[in-house]
Every structure is written in C-alpha cells, then in structure tokens.
C-alpha cells in the first residue's frame, strides 16, 4: 500500500514537514497550499528536496469553489486554476484536489456542474495534470461521494476522477458499500482520517478533531476494504486537521501517523481476508472472491498480554520507596548482580527500584513489563509499528530483556517469564523460586490467592495522548475503553483505560492513561505546573486484612475525609460495621452491576504512589467515583507541602 | 443584587475556593457536593469558615434523579435526600437544588412527578429546608423551565420552588418572556452562565464550554430583566463548568467571575431602563412600569476610547529597539526628565521605551494607553470592575497617569491628553509641541495625513483569554468581534479582535488578542515553548513611499516568500506594476468589500516586532489571509536563530 500524508497534518515549515515525513517512511505527501505559499522554498526547490528525500509529491490541494457558479465567475476560476496547473508543473505534481463548492455556489444544476468539471478537465489535460474531485461533507450542493462520482462519470474525461475522503464520507454516515461500483482507475486519490464520534457541526468536527486511524471511532478497515476491491492501487494518504498535532513535535507526529497507516493496512488485510472466508463459507460467491489489486502487508500477530511482569520506579534515592514497599508488605529480593537495581515482590507483584542514571531524579515510574507468549515476535511487531527499541546494557549470562519506548518515554518490556529475577539477591531466596515458575502461572492474579499488579496509571502529556492510545492498542493489542473525565482541584483529568479482554471474570492487564491538566501558568513567557502523580495498583485477596497489616507496619495511608463516608452511606446504605471498617482504614468503596471494589492509597513519593485493591465478584472498574476524593486529598497534601 | 458563585467554577480545595470567593467580594456561594465530599473540613468547619469570611452558604447542589421513578426507587431517593437535609442543617444551608431526572427516570407522568415533588417538599419542611427544582436542558422528561414551574405550581408546597439556570434555558432557545409569570417568591434560586454559540450536543456544551457572563453570546441582561420583574431578590449566582477555569489560579478566576456579575448587573439595569423608556414612549403602559424589587447597581459610564495614546516597550537594552524605530522613521524625543525612559514619535504614534526595573528583561510590550474623555472616571469604572490600579512613582510637577493592570499583566493607561510628553527631552522639540495639541485631535489618524497607532496585537495566555475579552469590553467599552483561527507552524492561533465602532470610515482603536499555542513540551514534567511575538502596527498615509524610505534607512523587513506573490496574483489579478512593487518591498496585500490593505512587518526584537499598514477606502480587517505567511516566516527565522 502506498502511504501518504498531507503536509497540513504536521507542525513546522514545509521543509521540516517533508523531512519528517520522509524520515517516518512515507511514500509520498500531499502539498497543502498554505504550506507552499508560506515557504521560502521555490517550487523547484521543493521538487528537488522531495526527490532527494525519496518522497513522492502525490497531490496539490485544495482548489476550492470551482463549480455551480455563473459563467463570469467560472472563467475567473479557470484562470485561477491555470495558475495552479502551471505551479504543479514546476513542482512535478500530477494531481490536484478540487473540492465541491462551499463558498460561492449559487446554481444547483448537475448538468452545469458536469459541464464546468469537464471544462476544468480539458484545461488540466492541456497542462498534463489530473483533477480529483471530492464532495466535502458540508458542500453547498455536493456533499455525498456518490453524487461527486456521478458528476465525474457524466463529465467522462480521462483527466477527471474522484477523491474519496473517509472523514467526508463517514462523518455523514454515508453507506460505503457503493464505493465498489466506482472503477478503481477513476479513483484518483484516497484520503483517510479517523475521528471520535462527536455530536457537533461537521465543519468544526473536521477542522479540529480529526485523528489518525486507530485513534478514533470510524470503521476505516471496512472503508478501505471496499476501496481495495475497486482495483485502486494509488496512495492512501492521511489528511488530519488536529489542533494538538499542529502543535506537537513534527517528527513524533510523523511517526505516529505512519504507525496509524501500518495499523490500518494490517486491519484492512484482516478485514478483507475475513470477508473472503465468510463469502466462501456462505457460498455467496460461485468463484473465489477476487484478490484486491492493492497489496496489503500484515504484521507478526500477537495475543494480548497475559499479565504485568513487573513495574520499575527510578530514583536517585530509593530509600523512601523501599520503606513504602516494606510497609505495603513487599519483600526485598536483594540487589541485582551487576547493576544498582533492587527487586521487591509481593506474591506475583514485582517492583524494580532502579538507581541507574538517576542523578537528580525524583521517584517516577520508568518502565512497565508485560507478559507475552513470544517476546521476540512482540518486539518485531512493535518495531514494525515504529516503536523504538530500548537498548539496555547486559552482562554475559544475564537475561536479555526485550523492550521498546512508549510515546511518553516509558520503557515497555516484553517478557516470556520471570527468569530475570534470578539475577537478584545472589540467586537465593524467593526471587529465584519465582523465576522458576512457568509463564502460564503469571498473571493468574489475586483470584489464586496471590497478590499481583492490578493496574498501572500513567500520566500522559497532552501532545502524545492520542499517540499513546494507538501505541498500546497496536503494539500490545490492548483495547481502549471510552475515556472519562474526572474532576480534580487542578482541572478535569481525562482518563483512558486500555485493557485485555475479560477472562475468568477478570482481566490480565489494565493500564490507565491520564491526560494531565496544565496548571498555574502565569504568563505567556513562563509556566509552573503541578507534578501529576502516577501509580501502581496491587490486587490483594483480602483488603481489610492487608490494610490492618500495613497499618501495623506504619504505612502512611492517604487520609480520606469523613464527609466521604457520610456520602457513601447516603448512596449505598452499607451495614454499619462495614462503614466503620472502611472509615478506620481510610478505605474507599465502589459497587457496579457485578460486585464490589475496596481500595486504598498511600502517600506520594516523588511522582509515585501506590494503591491496593480488592475486586469482589468480578467488579470491573477502577472506583472512578472515588477519583475526585483522591485528587483533592493529594492536592491538599501537595499544597501543604509547598507552604 | 446579591452575588453568588458555585464552588465548581473554581479550582483548588473547598477552603481555597471559599477564601477566593470571599476575597473577590461575592455575597454567597453554592456548595457543589463533590467539593464537600472531597474536603477534609467538617460541615461545621465549613459553616464557621464561611461565617468568618462573611460569605453566605446559599445553596447545596446538586441532588439528582429524584422524580419520575417507581415507588421503591422513590423511597430510596427520599432516604438519600434525608441524609443530605441533615447535612444541610449542619452546614446551615437552607436551600437544595434538585435537578430533573436524567439517569433513572422511567415514568412520564406529571401527576406522579407533582406527587413525588410534594413528598420531597414535605420531608424538606420537616428538616427546615427548601427545595429548588430545576429543569436540566437534557432532562429525560422535564427539560423546559416552564414545565418545571408548572410541576412546582401544581405541587403547591411552601418548601418547594423553582430554580432558573440561564444555560438550561438559553441553550435550548426557550422563550424567556414567560419567566415574568412566575411569582418572585416561588423562584428559590437563579443561576447564570454565558456560553459561546456552538452547534454541539447540549450536555458537552454545558460541561466544558460555559463561560462567565459577557464572555459568551447569550442575552443575559434580557433574561435577568425578566427575573427582576418577577420580584425575585435572591442570589444571582454563577454556575460555570469550564475546562480552563478549573485549571486556572483560583483567586484570578474569582475576580474574573465577580467582574462578570458586576457587568451583568449594569447591563441588566440599562436593559430594564431602556425597556421602561420604550414602554412609556409606546404608551403600552397606562401607569409607569413597576420598578423591579432587585436593586441593580450601575457604574460610571464611559465612551469607547478615541485613540491609542501610546504604547510602551520595556527592555534592559533598548538599543536594538531604538535602531528599529529610527529605521521606521520615528524621531527620538529624548529621555524623560527623571526616569530611564525615552519617547519616540512618528506623527501621532508614540512609543515609549522603558528601562525601569528591566534587569534581564528582553524587549516586550509592557503598557498600552488609550485616549479617554475622563481618565479619573475611566479608572473609577475599571476599579469597580475589579481592575487593579497600577501605582507608578511620579515626581512633583509631573503628570499623574491613571492606569490599571490587564489580565495578562499589561499596564493599561487611560489618558486625556498627551501633556506627559512635555516631560521628555527637556521640554523642547516636537514632543512638547505634541503635548499642546487638544485631545480632540488625538486619534484622528492617518486619514488626516499623520501616522498613528493602527492596532496592537497582544499574545494572551490560555488561562486568561476569556477574562481578557471581558476585561477590555467591560472596562473600556471595546467590542469583541467573532474570533478567528489562523494557522501557524506551531499550531492554530485563536485571534480575537476588540475594537471601537466604525466612525468616519475608520476606527479609533483596534486591539487584537492572540491565544498563543503551546509547543514543544516533551514530558509531563517539563516544558519549553516558543516565545510568541506581539506587535505594534502603525498606520501611514502612503505605505509604498514609507517602505522606500525605511529601506533607505536599512530597516530589516520581514522577507516574504516569492510563492506568496504568485498566489496573490492567482487570487487577485493585480496590475503587473503593483505586483512588482509589492514584491520589491516585501509588502503584503489584501482586499475586502470596501477597499484595499497594504502592510509590512519588521524583524522581531525580543518578543516585539512592528507592522506598518495603509488602509485604502475603508478596508476594515487586518490582512488575516496573510497571517499564516507572517507566522511561517517568523517561525523559520526563529528556528534558524536557534540552530
């Protein structure tokens, strides 16, 4: 599949955009007119630069407001078009995107439109260029891709074809099945964008909220499956207007964009294959379904992870963390053989404390590790999805751990077992024993009576939030849940859960990504903002017993306000004994249609704190109604600390 | 008018919210339940704190999902309500807000609802509290304030009244006239919020995009006029859910909020007075219209400013600015008598360069000065609108300039004349002469053949953007225009023009506020962002002649790409000579339905650059189509500088 990206998706100057697109591996780009007009590069410079970078210049766009106008205006439009055709010659671009009129259309007459499009195509032919006509979702008269295609078919000119854009088609809910009736050679261009389903006007939705494929809710594999069946084999090119991407680092956005197309290509291949199987099974096709002309690459397939293998916290001074882990009931498994790293375990929950390259570093979560069937394959998949492998020095005879870097910089390890734990504490003790466990027992969880990591909550910078969702869903097969807004004293926190499917009443892996609000910037020229804490949650089989033991060991619990318990009583009518126990140990409580949830939090060290949870009868949430309480108490503690 | 604010409008803990509301001068607050539940203050503590602060606790809110439910659920709801009534007793709050059911409503029966509301009112009476029932805009069965009022009227219980919320009423477009039919004593509470007109679902619009009165597009004075006519004299309280306010500094937001209510009170008084005059004039009322029971304060009235008196740039080293001003044709009027400040003039355009308290300060716009009829009155008005007066040391015999601080820290001077210029250059030269001009000639502009300040463009931090709009519109009577998004290499720039009305084909004052995008933050824990430049634009009578003179003096023009002129030609079909002149002097061009616009920019010094403009035949814009060119060239220059 030939990949492309419109320069408008990326931040920076035209040169920065082209270099970033090439570096991320795109086959070609669409030149967005404003990017050229504002560039100091001449059209010839742009052509040479693209050639040097091995980047095709696949489309010039957009040309607006051509059709459905009176003769005089049409003549002026042709003059305008001719100037652009000349420019395209200098750029070496063959195809121009012409959008249905939204600004000056005054005559609703398909015959006139057909004539005007034909006239444009004639002029284009004179200049050796091709016109791809597209229906904008908010086009005055033409806003449906089938209508645009009918006009193109009626105009019947070799220099005129249509352009299909997923946003304009799927935002309006148009049926995508009829795409297959368009001959592939008359589709001159395909633009793809994803979007969250929002109930707002389609123009603003389009201009600000588009995202890359896999980051929204459109069924793009189905769309592209239809396109593939037409015989189309041209560029599949991203056109994403997004306020955040326009501000983010251009090279990172280009990588995110490329990942989204690789993901889309794989999903489309799977969709097409599944359709063939279904069709053959139904006998709906006498002959086997034709294979699409568009080559669709697939990736090494991986199953969702079967558990969290460990979590790592890095700090210059790990003593406060050690104290906290000991109070939580974790046992020290000693230092690593060769590195300034220690291992702490509680049942199957493993936490690594890392003092490497930690000069001046306050405690923070630095790595996550997932249990996978085949680590080499998982890293191969992630690498093909543009994840950057992490190199960690390893001595001879030590386990080599496979890892890649997540968008926020967190290192993501992919482990088949826990043999690496043997490298701690001189090969003695529980860690060595743990290392011998077969991988199948990993992730069996507190349901088997052993503590485990229930979930990890990471704060995400706003520029990389959508990228992070696609990263974890595409590389690790975690499923994103609808995001939720949680109120906190420093703003709303957007919380996005990524998890594995329900199995045996539980889930192997739960990861929560929190979009941290920005606070307390007092001028355009400088900003200060609160550290946004992240946490590791441990599931235990009996929370109240565990809390009692933690209290005996002197654990600093996050204190929960009395008002919370009064409200809890008003909402749930709990037995008085239970309410008293909750109150005594600063425990929080929630209930869903399955069961109950008990949890508590510790004080924060650096930017890390811990949570201990118990899930009863298949409770499947995270105690979301309690999150504002946690945020408020942490905020108050932090601000007391600052005074 | 008794003022109030819901704690949910503000960031921070409940204690921080209460202190900020009291400091800003609010009469009372609505306690938002989550703020209490997450607080470590007991209800008794909250009551005492509010008493200490002189703050009324006017409402407890919200109580959800009471009505339209089967008997068993209704019983549970009453139990839940009773717990809250008890809590209100401890808080000393008399009134609770009950919203129409959106979650559990299953029976659409007004008789049942009336009965259930009556039952709740009976229970409330037992606890000595009152219930204010409100229709949410997205209520399952009750979403219209007239429907809510009919239910309250039918339930007919002294402890039951209605609550009117502007968002729920105006977002749905309900007619506000019928408000006057509700007896004032049955309106138990009034909540106000403004909002920009957005075409999105009403729930998300309400939860994220509400703003304070005067910052949106609702006709709130008309609404409140109707309320005043009912005889209602209770709190008018802000309930604004806004993502930005939730993150901004609590004390600043409280001041912004208070300003919005003072503004609303004045506008309502004006609206009511205008209605009385109209009614009496029409003879529609035999007797004079009744005066509303609600006392409505007014403020000292001011006319829109008649010009920009000066602009000030502060820097440790002003030499690069002096060079730039000289190249632009400004003349030095010498140093101030007693301060390290110099004055530069070009016609009526005055720029002050300030080296006071400028240690380590890069050049930046520090003050604006507006021509007003009565400076003392203007500052009195601004002060009543919570603007903070600026104290500047002044020697005996020097002009005392009146000033207040704008939300972004810019000092805003209010001047009746330019006599202050006599303090520069030893009382000699043009400055002294200028100082003698009568104020009426100030702001007559380039139309009179003299250069003047055309507009000033200030970058605004995102937290204070809405606040800035209200600040300039309420204190200075500038009129906000619809905002526009302009693309730049580091993101979309939201640009909001505030200006005086058209007079003699021109405008005395134009101010553009630009919401600067955030860029290049690479982790949650640290951020770096581009300096976002601001500028001062000078209007001259003959731009091409001026540009020629500037070039002779060696002015560093912002270089405009060739591609721009090709596109200009395609769009406007300019005479070849004109196009060549534009190209030669790096001039930009635009055209609107009135006339033409010519302009050019200088290089940037610190965070300041200058623009020179010529308005032909009443062109009324700012060359918005050219803004992306300017941003792109500045971005490229800045990034070259950084390499």
């Amino acid at each position: 599949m030939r990949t492309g990206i419109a320069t408008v998706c990326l931040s920076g100057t035209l040169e920065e955009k082209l270099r970033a697109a090439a570096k991320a591996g795109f086959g070609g780009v669409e030149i967005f007119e404003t990017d050229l007009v504002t560039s100091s590069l001449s059209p010839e410079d742009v052509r040479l630069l693209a050639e040097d970078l091995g980047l095709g210049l696949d489309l010039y766009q957009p040309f607006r407001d051509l059709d459905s106008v009176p003769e005089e205006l049409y003549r002026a439009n042709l003059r305008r078009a001719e100037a652009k055709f000349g420019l395209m010659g200098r750029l070496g671009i063959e195809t121009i995107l012409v959008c249905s009129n939204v600004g000056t259309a005054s005559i609703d007459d398909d015959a006139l439109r057909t004539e005007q499009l034909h006239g444009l195509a004639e002029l284009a032919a004179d200049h050796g260029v091709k016109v791809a006509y597209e229906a904008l979702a908010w086009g005055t008269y033409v806003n449906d891709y089938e209508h645009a295609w009918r006009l193109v078919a009626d105009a019947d000119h070799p220099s005129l074809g249509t352009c299909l854009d997923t946003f304009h088609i799927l935002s309006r809910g148009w049926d995508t099945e009829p795409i297959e009736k368009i001959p592939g050679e008359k589709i001159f261009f395909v633009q793809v964008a994803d979007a969250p389903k929002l109930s707002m006007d389609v123009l603003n939705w389009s201009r600000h909220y588009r995202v890359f494929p896999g980051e929204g809710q459109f069924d793009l594999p189905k769309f592209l499956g239809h396109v593939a069946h037409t015989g189309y084999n041209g560029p599949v090119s991203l056109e994403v207007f997004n306020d955040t991407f326009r501000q983010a680092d251009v090279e990172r956005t280009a990588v995110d964009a490329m990942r989204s197309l690789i993901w889309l290509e794989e999903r489309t291949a799977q969709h097409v294959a599944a359709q063939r199987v279904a069709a053959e099974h139904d006998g709906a096709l006498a002959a086997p379904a034709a294979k699409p002309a568009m080559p669709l690459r697939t990736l090494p397939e991986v199953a969702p992870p079967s558990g969290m293998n460990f979590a790592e916290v890095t700090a210059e001074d790990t003593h406060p963390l050690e104290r906290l882990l000991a109070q939580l009931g974790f046992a020290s498994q000693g230092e690593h053989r060769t590195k300034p790293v220690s291992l702490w375990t509680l049942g199957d929950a493993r936490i690594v404390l890392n003092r490497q390259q930690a000069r001046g570093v306050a405690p923070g979560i630095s790595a996550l590790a997932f249990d996978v069937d085949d680590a080499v394959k998982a890293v191969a998949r992630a690498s093909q999805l543009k994840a950057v492998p992490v190199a960690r020095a390893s001595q001879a005879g030590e386990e080599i751990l496979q890892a890649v870097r997540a968008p926020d910089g967190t290192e993501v390890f992919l482990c088949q077992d826990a043999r690496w734990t043997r490298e701690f504490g001189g090969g003695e003790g529980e860690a060595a024993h743990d290392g011998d466990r077969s991988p199948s027992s990993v992730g069996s969880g507190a349901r088997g009576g052993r503590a485990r990591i229930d979930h990890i909550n990471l704060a995400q910078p706003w520029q990389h939030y959508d990228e992070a969702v696609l990263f974890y869903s595409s590389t690790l097969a975690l499923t994103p849940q609808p995001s939720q807004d949680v109120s906190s004293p420093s703003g709303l926190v957007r919380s996005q859960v990524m998890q594995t499917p329900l199995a045996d009443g539980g889930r192997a892996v739960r990861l929560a990504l929190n979009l941290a609000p920005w606070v307390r910037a007092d001028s355009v020229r400088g900003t200060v903002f609160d550290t946004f804490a992240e946490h590791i949650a441990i599931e235990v089989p009996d929370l109240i017993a565990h809390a009692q033991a933690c209290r005996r060991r002197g654990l600093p619990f996050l204190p929960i306000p009395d008002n919370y318990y009064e409200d809890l009583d008003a909402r749930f009518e709990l037995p008085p004994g239970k309410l008293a126990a909750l109150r005594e140990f600063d425990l929080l409580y929630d209930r869903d249609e399955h069961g109950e949830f008990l949890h508590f939090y510790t004080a924060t060290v650096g930017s890390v704190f811990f949570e201990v949870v118990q899930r009863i009868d298949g409770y499947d949430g995270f105690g979301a109604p309690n999150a504002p309480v946690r945020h408020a108490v942490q905020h108050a503690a932090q601000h007391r600390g600052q005074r």
Side-chain angles (χ1 to χ4, degrees), chain A:
Chain A
M1 185 177 99
R2 180 171 175 89
T3 56
I5 185 166
T7 54
V8 72
C9 305
L10 301 170
S11 68
T13 62
L14 182 57
E15 182 171 346
E16 289 164 344
K17 292 169 191 232
L18 295 180
R19 290 191 184 281
K23 194 170 167 192
F26 280 94
V29 297
E30 308 173 31
I31 298 285
F32 191 71
E33 183 162 85
T34 305
D35 287 319
L36 183 74
V37 168
T38 63
S39 173
S40 59
L41 297 178
S42 72
E44 291 76 11
D45 290 341
V46 173
R47 181 181 195 153
L48 282 174
L49 176 61
E51 276 172 19
D52 275 359
L53 294 170
L55 205 57
L57 296 179
D58 290 341
L59 190 78
Y60 187 84
Q61 69 122 322
F63 188 86
R64 296 186 203 276
D65 298 339
L66 173 95
D67 62 76
S68 317
V69 295
E71 184 61 19
E72 195 187 345
L73 183 51
Y74 177 64
R75 288 289 139 209
N77 290 344
L78 284 188
R79 185 189 166 281
R80 190 158 57 89
E82 194 159 16
K84 299 303 172 187
F85 293 165
L87 177 64
M88 288 166 67
R90 295 168 62 197
L91 285 162
I93 298 183
E94 198 187 16
T95 310
I96 188 169
L97 178 75
V98 173
C99 311
S100 61
N101 196 330
V102 295
T104 59
S106 59
I107 306 169
D108 188 11
D109 177 349
D110 274 353
L112 177 74
R113 272 189 283 273
T114 302
E115 196 187 303
Q116 293 185 335
L117 285 172
H118 190 275
L120 182 71
E122 282 283 292
L123 186 65
D126 293 346
H127 289 80
V129 305
K130 290 161 64 183
V131 170
Y133 181 66
E134 168 185 76
L136 296 183
W138 53 92
T140 308
Y141 302 122
V142 182
N143 48 45
D144 173 348
Y145 79 97
E146 291 190 79
H147 186 185
W149 159 238
R150 276 198 311 277
L151 296 171
V152 166
D154 292 348
D156 192 24
H157 192 289
S159 298
L160 182 68
T162 191
C163 170
L164 300 176
D165 179 307
T166 61
F167 186 88
H168 295 298
I169 296 169
L170 300 174
S171 68
R172 295 291 302 259
W174 304 130
D175 181 13
T176 51
E177 197 87 33
I179 287 173
E180 299 201 12
K181 290 187 220 145
I182 309 175
E185 69 276 10
K186 292 302 276 182
I187 302 175
F188 281 7
F189 210 78
V190 171
Q191 294 178 317
V192 291
D194 204 342
K197 287 204 171 144
L198 299 174
S199 56
M200 65 190 304
D201 68 289
V202 75
L203 178 64
N204 277 306
W205 186 18
S206 170
R207 292 270 167 89
H208 302 284
Y209 297 97
R210 292 186 183 202
V211 286
F212 294 127
E215 298 172 357
Q217 292 168 270
F218 286 161
D219 189 351
L220 299 177
K222 178 167 181 279
F223 165 88
L224 203 55
H226 293 309
V227 171
H229 278 299
T230 65
Y232 176 78
N233 193 17
V236 175
S237 183
L238 297 162
E239 191 195 29
V240 171
F241 305 95
N242 179 291
D243 291 357
T244 299
F245 299 160
R246 282 174 184 269
Q247 296 182 50
D249 177 76
V250 60
E251 291 195 0
R252 297 196 50 153
T253 307
V255 167
D256 179 26
M258 191 64 208
R259 178 179 300 134
S260 79
L261 277 187
I262 297 167
W263 172 89
L264 176 59
E265 187 172 0
E266 179 193 40
R267 289 294 172 105
T268 306
Q270 290 168 346
H271 173 80
V272 169
Q275 267 191 318
R276 279 166 63 94
V277 169
E280 280 159 19
H281 186 263
D282 290 355
L285 298 167
K291 228 181 139 179
M294 190 189 287
L296 294 166
R297 263 191 317 168
T298 55
L299 300 172
E301 271 187 65
V302 295
S306 57
M308 294 290 305
N309 195 288
F310 68 90
E312 181 191 78
V313 180
T314 294
E316 179 171 18
D317 175 11
T318 53
H319 288 104
L321 290 163
E322 289 160 17
R323 193 161 43 242
L324 208 53
L325 288 173
Q327 288 164 333
L328 276 166
F330 276 76
S332 168
Q333 304 300 342
E335 288 278 308
H336 188 269
R337 219 184 270 167
T338 61
K339 300 173 206 162
V341 170
S342 65
L343 171 64
W344 292 72
T345 62
L346 174 65
D348 291 336
R350 301 180 200 97
I351 292 178
V352 170
L353 300 184
N354 187 350
R355 303 187 308 280
Q356 291 182 100
Q357 300 175 323
R359 185 96 185 250
V361 172
I365 296 174
S366 48
L368 311 180
F370 297 90
D371 292 312
V372 297
D373 292 344
D374 184 335
V376 171
K377 201 167 152 191
V379 168
R381 176 181 174 85
S383 300
Q384 288 193 38
L385 282 159
K386 300 274 161 188
V388 179
V390 173
R392 280 222 176 169
S394 199
Q395 305 289 92
E398 289 178 9
E399 290 291 318
I400 295 169
L401 297 181
Q402 306 282 341
V404 294
R405 200 172 290 283
D408 69 345
T410 303
E411 293 178 6
V412 173
F413 285 84
L414 301 155
C415 303
Q416 277 171 243
D417 53 48
R419 281 197 298 236
W420 57 271
T421 59
R422 294 189 197 169
E423 293 161 18
F424 288 80
E428 311 286 342
E430 198 194 339
H433 169 75
D434 268 21
D436 287 332
R437 289 188 307 110
S438 69
S440 65
S441 77
V442 171
S444 60
R447 290 178 302 283
R450 289 173 68 86
R452 63 190 282 268
I453 294 177
D454 180 81
H455 65 276
I456 290 179
N457 184 308
L458 295 179
Q460 297 291 304
W462 58 271
Q463 302 95 317
H464 308 311
Y465 187 83
D466 292 310
E467 183 187 352
V469 172
L470 178 62
F471 171 85
Y472 287 107
S473 62
S474 66
T475 60
L476 279 169
L478 296 182
T479 310
Q481 307 302 302
S483 73
Q484 267 195 304
D485 285 333
V486 173
S487 71
S488 89
S490 49
L492 291 179
V493 179
R494 189 168 141 205
S495 179
Q496 165 89 57
V497 172
M498 316 275 305
Q499 60 194 16
T500 54
L502 261 184
D504 305 328
R507 293 183 195 271
V509 167
R510 293 177 161 101
L511 179 66
L513 304 178
N514 276 8
L515 180 62
W518 293 72
V519 289
R520 252 167 263 290
D522 280 314
S523 82
V524 189
R525 289 165 198 88
T527 184
V528 181
F529 59 113
D530 285 4
T531 300
F532 196 81
E534 308 180 309
H535 74 272
I536 300 168
I538 310 298
E539 188 184 7
V540 298
D542 181 344
L543 189 92
I544 291 183
H546 199 86
Q548 280 171 328
C550 288
R551 172 128 322 157
R552 279 197 304 273
R553 289 187 291 261
L555 180 78
F557 285 70
L558 188 78
I560 303 302
D562 245 20
N563 299 334
Y564 169 76
Y565 296 101
E566 291 198 24
D567 182 62
L568 205 59
D569 193 31
R571 287 191 289 136
F572 289 118
E573 230 180 316
L574 293 171
K578 186 154 191 176
L579 193 69
L582 295 177
R583 202 190 286 259
E584 184 185 348
F585 292 107
D586 287 302
L587 308 185
L588 297 134
Y589 176 86
D590 192 30
R591 197 190 280 166
D592 69 6
E593 65 274 30
H594 308 292
E596 293 175 299
F597 189 56
L598 294 170
H599 56 144
F600 68 83
Y601 299 103
T602 70
T604 302
V605 175
S607 65
V608 188
F609 63 96
F610 296 90
E611 181 181 4
V612 179
V613 312
Q614 182 185 359
R615 296 178 180 276
I616 300 165
D617 299 333
Y619 175 92
D620 196 29
F622 295 82
N626 303 328
V629 179
R630 192 257 288 175
H631 285 301
V633 177
Q634 287 179 332
H635 170 93
Q638 194 180 5
H639 285 240
R640 259 197 309 279
Q642 281 171 9
R643 271 184 212 138

